[in-house]
Amino acid sequence: MVLSPADKTNVKSTWDKIGGHAGEYGGEALERTFASFPTTKTYFPHFDLSPGSAQVKAHGKKVADALTNAVAHMDDLPGAMSALSDLHAYKLRVDPVNFKLLSHCLLVTLACHHPAEFTPAVHASLDKFFSAVSTVLTSKYR
Amino acid sequence: MVHLSAEEKAAVSSLQGKVKVDVVGGEALGRLLVVYPWTQRFFDSFGDLSSPDAIMSNRKVKAHGKKVVNSLINGLKNLDNLKGAFAKLSELHCDKLHVDPENFKLLGNVLVCVLARHFGKEFTPQVQAVFQKVLAGVANALAHKYH
């Protein structure tokens, strides 16, 4: 599965529209993931996961910043995300199924906040992009 | 069987009352075919599915989407016995339609995205969680009679 030029344009333009809200959306996507898929909470026993948690917001911003970096380097995701790929493979070891759950909640968050921009074509491109990022993050697992 | 608290049931009813079934059903099925193009394998007889615009404006897609969501809403009246409520449809999807149950999950998640788009902030994490629970229950019920 390859990101076409149209996919890259769609993803970049979505990220431009998000502007400074990326961090906030990252936090919201995490909150949605924990609420809808409670098994994901097992990776955060050390966090306060109650609604409005400062730790979740901070972590959401971290995730969003990493995605913003990925958007800027869509032509070389493996290169740009190499350190995060190592981290997830050797230290965090988050089961691959969970990347789909967070990706879905990122889509839901974007759909909530940007209903007009979230066209079917943009939806498809974003889903592909998150899938590509997830693949890179799990690429060194074994 | 899906266990919903009184609050959760209220959340579902409230949104359900405001959902425009025709619009949401068609949009959800259309988006499924756009975002996961391999799902088009079940719809050879639907005509032009050559582009996102063609898919989203396709009459048969809209009609079928509406059918699917109406069926879902009927199912919501039977949360205590989803397997029973969807038994016949489960047999149909296995024996006649030959649909991999994985597709029920894909459609469920696309439907959640469509609801999010329509309801915005009202589609809170808590409301989303209830719908995910219900849709997972429906997907399981539809897969239950597979053999």
Side-chain angles (χ1 to χ4, degrees):
Chain A
M1 182 203 41
V2 167
L3 292 173
S4 70
D7 287 326
K8 291 178 189 176
T9 301
N10 283 339
V11 172
K12 283 201 167 99
S13 106
T14 299
W15 232 255
D16 284 341
K17 290 210 173 74
I18 289 174
H21 291 280
E24 177 201 325
Y25 295 169
E28 183 180 325
L30 279 175
E31 193 190 339
R32 286 180 181 279
T33 307
F34 297 140
S36 282
F37 310 109
T39 51
T40 56
K41 297 191 290 186
T42 56
Y43 292 96
F44 298 91
H46 52 300
F47 265 32
D48 162 25
L49 297 179
S50 54
S53 154
Q55 282 178 310
V56 172
K57 285 187 182 161
H59 197 68
K61 178 155 191 331
K62 230 175 177 175
V63 169
D65 287 346
L67 286 171
T68 300
N69 182 50
V71 171
H73 294 93
M74 277 188 286
D75 291 333
D76 179 24
L77 285 177
M81 308 197 80
S82 181
L84 276 174
S85 182
D86 288 340
L87 182 74
H88 283 79
Y90 306 123
K91 185 140 182 276
L92 303 177
R93 291 170 291 186
V94 172
D95 190 282
V97 75
N98 295 285
F99 293 96
K100 283 191 190 182
L101 303 179
L102 177 58
S103 296
H104 168 65
C105 289
L106 279 162
L107 289 177
V108 171
T109 302
L110 291 173
C112 275
H113 291 276
H114 298 275
E117 282 80 26
F118 195 71
T119 62
V122 166
H123 178 169
S125 297
L126 287 168
D127 194 67
K128 279 173 82 172
F129 170 66
F130 293 141
S131 180
V133 168
S134 302
T135 297
V136 169
L137 290 176
T138 55
S139 61
K140 298 177 192 172
Y141 271 37
R142 57 176 172 174
Chain B
M1 187 156 166
V2 171
H3 292 280
L4 296 187
S5 68
E7 261 177 354
E8 288 173 328
K9 282 183 188 163
V12 170
S13 301
S14 150
L15 241 56
Q16 197 184 308
K18 298 177 198 169
V19 160
K20 291 179 194 144
V21 176
D22 311 21
V23 171
V24 162
E27 186 178 334
L29 185 62
R31 280 176 183 263
L32 179 75
L33 299 174
V34 169
V35 179
Y36 309 108
W38 54 91
T39 57
Q40 292 171 24
R41 69 190 296 285
F42 301 108
F43 301 103
D44 280 341
S45 63
F46 272 31
D48 186 5
L49 299 178
S50 59
S51 70
D53 284 341
I55 291 171
M56 300 311 289
S57 57
N58 183 303
R59 262 185 328 107
K60 287 187 175 179
V61 170
K62 288 184 195 189
H64 195 68
K66 182 176 168 186
K67 205 177 178 182
V68 169
V69 171
N70 270 325
S71 165
L72 198 63
I73 289 179
N74 271 330
L76 291 182
K77 297 172 187 157
N78 293 283
L79 289 173
D80 291 338
N81 182 21
L82 284 174
K83 292 193 165 88
F86 284 99
K88 286 247 140 47
L89 276 174
S90 181
E91 285 170 4
L92 178 78
H93 281 77
C94 174
D95 300 331
K96 294 262 151 57
L97 305 177
H98 311 292
V99 176
D100 179 345
E102 184 59 31
N103 292 283
F104 307 142
K105 294 182 197 168
L106 288 180
L107 181 58
N109 281 336
V110 171
L111 184 56
V112 166
C113 287
V114 171
L115 291 173
R117 207 177 78 78
H118 283 260
F119 291 108
K121 292 193 173 96
E122 210 178 329
F123 198 67
T124 61
Q126 291 66 36
V127 169
Q128 178 191 349
V130 176
F131 274 92
Q132 299 280 179
K133 219 162 131 173
V134 169
L135 289 167
V138 171
N140 282 336
L142 278 172
H144 188 65
K145 292 286 193 179
Y146 273 60
H147 58 93

